[in-house]
Amino acid sequence: MRSLRAFLFLLGVLGAFADFCVIPQLDSQLVERLGQQLLPWMDQLSREHLNPSIYVGLRLSSLQAGTKEDLYLHSLKLSYQRCLLRPATSDDNSDCPTKPSMGQLALYMLALRANCEFIRGHKGDRLVSQLKWFLEDENGAIGHNHKGHPHTSYYQYGLSILALCVHQKLVRDGIVGKLLYAVEHDHQDHLSVDTVAMAGLAFICLERSSFNPDLRQRISTAIGTVQEKILKAQTPEGYFGNVYSTPLALQLLVSSPMSRVDLGTACLKARAALLVNLQDKALQNPIIISQLLPVLNHKTYVNLIFPDCQAPRGLLGAAPEDSSLIHVPEVISVTLKVSSVLPPYEQTISVLAKSSLEDILKKAQELGKFTYGTQASLSGPFLTSVMGKVPGDREFWQLLRAPDTPLLQGIAEYKPQNGETIEIRLASW
């Protein structure tokens, strides 16, 4: 009888675990190959290529880049502090023509915390003040009646609250309330999956740190709302929204204190969808990789409240040469189409093998009759205009491999194959 009760108890425990988001361990070689894709990015130490997200992702993973990691953090500190702490009257802009954005500053603060550093001292206070000033400015843009919009995005707004929270810096109720209101009143799902996930991570940090006690009930309810929104956004393939937003969505679900019957199944389905991309080497965006690596190690940005900087991590070696690349032709031809403009544009362009879609767009512009514009984002460059046309409200430029296969990568990551046709199509959401 005692053994039967023990068996039934074990079943109950297993059933309880099934209600939570658990990501079973992937093949270690597959995870290592994913981490190796970040190594070339860590060699690019110029100001325009540095991204704190890469450092954070590795520090929260089971992998390390050795001395490259130390050098990368050193370069981040030199670059960001030079840009952010430079006197406003300084005329020397050679190293930093533009200051980092609110989101970049927030990621830099996450990178410091990933190294078990708290922001302290005069320089640290100035960084915190700048991030709080950014938030106050965004708060004013949204307005007391919530009719406005942030100058940047609610994604960067939530990321900034999270960065201050992990450094144990208080954010006033009015600032947090704006993010709560955006989540509470997002009935038509205007906020993207990664935006609500980032908001949810900020709320979980605030809740675990016992900050903003007057908003505690709203924060707790909002965490559940975010979870529901993410699960509702799961596609038949298993992604939460799309492949780009899935890693951050998984971070939220793994961190969430709430449970429900279908949560475990949803997370396993998302893992299976990502596994297909990993096996096909289709996931190459360094920011998305840096958000996924922690999840594969059962870590999230919320772990930065109390980071474990002594945990053992395997050393990443350089990826072996892919013998299949020997058979890739030196020059390939790719056809570029834009059917959403008049007259429609179509041109076959010759480029070196392994060129990115962004390289092809640059070559097309050099040849004439084609123009495009991009804007930098935390996930890489995205198209803002094509052939002089700027998308309207709820419109965007969609990338497709002919005839109708949406690309799962951005222009900087996707590398067309010889003979492919890439269409840039104006789509609505």
Side-chain angles (χ1 to χ4, degrees):
M1 179 64 71
R2 182 178 299 173
S3 60
L4 177 60
R5 276 200 294 264
F7 177 69
L8 292 175
F9 173 76
L10 179 60
L11 284 181
V13 171
L14 292 175
F17 275 121
D19 293 343
F20 291 90
C21 182
V22 178
I23 307 297
Q25 189 172 0
L26 287 179
D27 177 77
S28 59
Q29 290 186 337
L30 196 60
V31 176
E32 182 180 14
R33 194 173 73 194
L34 186 66
Q36 286 169 337
Q37 293 184 50
L38 294 181
L39 293 179
W41 294 91
M42 298 196 80
D43 291 328
Q44 302 182 48
L45 301 178
S46 59
R47 167 70 186 90
E48 63 271 18
H49 289 112
L50 285 170
N51 195 309
S53 181
I54 293 174
Y55 181 82
V56 175
L58 278 175
R59 292 291 298 189
L60 286 174
S61 77
S62 59
L63 307 168
Q64 63 156 311
T67 55
K68 280 189 177 186
E69 208 170 275
D70 299 331
L71 180 59
Y72 201 76
L73 179 61
H74 179 69
S75 299
L76 281 171
K77 289 182 175 181
L78 286 179
S79 177
Y80 274 70
Q81 292 187 18
R82 181 185 295 120
C83 291
L84 292 164
L85 302 180
R86 186 184 63 222
T89 55
S90 174
D91 294 328
D92 183 12
N93 293 328
S94 57
D95 292 333
C96 187
T98 58
K99 278 193 173 185
S101 67
M102 179 171 76
Q104 290 169 329
L105 171 55
L107 281 173
Y108 172 63
M109 290 174 62
L110 290 187
L112 294 179
R113 192 70 193 109
N115 195 47
C116 290
E117 297 181 38
F118 271 121
I119 288 187
R120 292 191 177 96
H122 177 63
K123 289 183 178 180
D125 289 343
R126 287 181 62 188
L127 291 177
V128 170
S129 296
Q130 286 200 36
L131 191 54
K132 286 190 173 184
W133 181 87
F134 273 133
L135 281 169
E136 291 290 351
D137 187 51
E138 296 289 60
N139 180 63
I142 297 168
H144 69 278
N145 58 0
H146 306 277
K147 298 297 184 183
H149 301 280
H151 294 303
T152 55
S153 65
Y154 278 109
Y155 180 95
Q156 294 193 43
Y157 195 95
L159 174 60
S160 300
I161 293 175
L162 174 65
L164 290 166
C165 177
V166 299
H167 279 278
Q168 302 296 293
K169 303 298 181 183
L170 298 176
V171 179
R172 67 180 184 86
D173 285 357
I175 298 290
V176 176
K178 287 293 197 299
L179 188 60
L180 284 167
Y181 185 94
V183 170
E184 292 164 347
H185 293 80
D186 185 35
H187 301 307
Q188 296 182 336
D189 295 327
H190 291 153
L191 297 180
S192 63
V193 169
D194 54 350
T195 295
V196 295
M198 184 60 75
L201 290 169
F203 295 150
I204 292 173
C205 182
L206 295 175
E207 183 176 65
R208 292 189 184 181
S209 303
S210 299
F211 290 160
N212 306 92
D214 292 341
L215 298 175
R216 180 162 303 185
Q217 184 55 54
R218 286 181 68 190
I219 289 173
S220 179
T221 302
I223 293 170
T225 300
V226 166
Q227 188 187 60
E228 293 290 339
K229 285 180 176 291
I230 288 174
L231 292 175
K232 177 185 172 185
Q234 189 164 36
T235 66
E237 296 80 13
Y239 301 118
F240 294 115
N242 55 49
V243 67
Y244 292 110
S245 53
T246 298
L248 208 58
L250 282 171
Q251 282 202 36
L252 181 280
L253 296 176
V254 167
S255 302
S256 178
M258 310 183 80
S259 65
R260 49 179 286 170
V261 175
D262 57 345
L263 183 54
T265 302
C267 290
L268 290 176
K269 192 174 179 181
R271 173 189 180 274
L274 289 171
L275 184 58
V276 172
N277 277 273
L278 296 181
Q279 291 172 334
D280 293 343
K281 301 181 182 180
L283 198 61
Q284 296 182 0
N285 184 298
I287 310 305
I288 307 307
I289 293 172
S290 70
Q291 292 174 348
L292 178 59
L293 280 174
V295 177
L296 301 181
N297 195 42
H298 306 109
K299 296 284 185 68
T300 76
Y301 289 161
V302 178
N303 287 101
L304 294 175
I305 301 174
F306 301 109
D308 183 3
C309 292
Q310 303 304 317
R313 295 184 293 146
L315 183 64
L316 277 172
E321 289 291 329
D322 189 345
S323 60
S324 65
L325 296 180
I326 299 173
H327 305 292
V328 176
E330 185 178 356
V331 176
I332 63 172
S333 295
V334 177
T335 300
L336 187 63
K337 290 178 59 177
V338 185
S339 56
S340 304
V341 296
L342 292 175
Y345 171 87
E346 183 170 342
Q347 176 75 34
T348 298
I349 299 159
S350 297
V351 292
L352 292 176
K354 296 169 51 179
S355 294
S356 69
L357 180 53
E358 187 175 21
D359 294 329
I360 292 169
L361 297 183
K362 289 178 181 177
K363 181 71 175 291
Q365 187 160 259
E366 291 171 3
L367 293 174
K369 297 184 180 180
F370 177 83
T371 60
Y372 75 103
T374 64
Q375 181 176 323
S377 75
L378 298 179
S379 297
F382 68 92
L383 288 171
T384 55
S385 66
V386 176
M387 307 296 285
K389 185 172 181 61
V390 177
D393 290 340
R394 301 179 67 80
E395 289 184 330
F396 68 100
W397 287 110
Q398 184 180 29
L399 305 174
L400 303 108
R401 183 173 66 246
D404 289 302
T405 303
L407 300 185
L408 298 179
Q409 297 165 268
I411 61 173
E413 295 81 43
Y414 186 71
K415 297 178 181 179
Q417 301 298 306
N418 188 35
E420 277 188 4
T421 295
I422 302 297
E423 182 178 353
I424 306 176
R425 183 185 300 172
L426 193 63
S428 58
W429 56 277

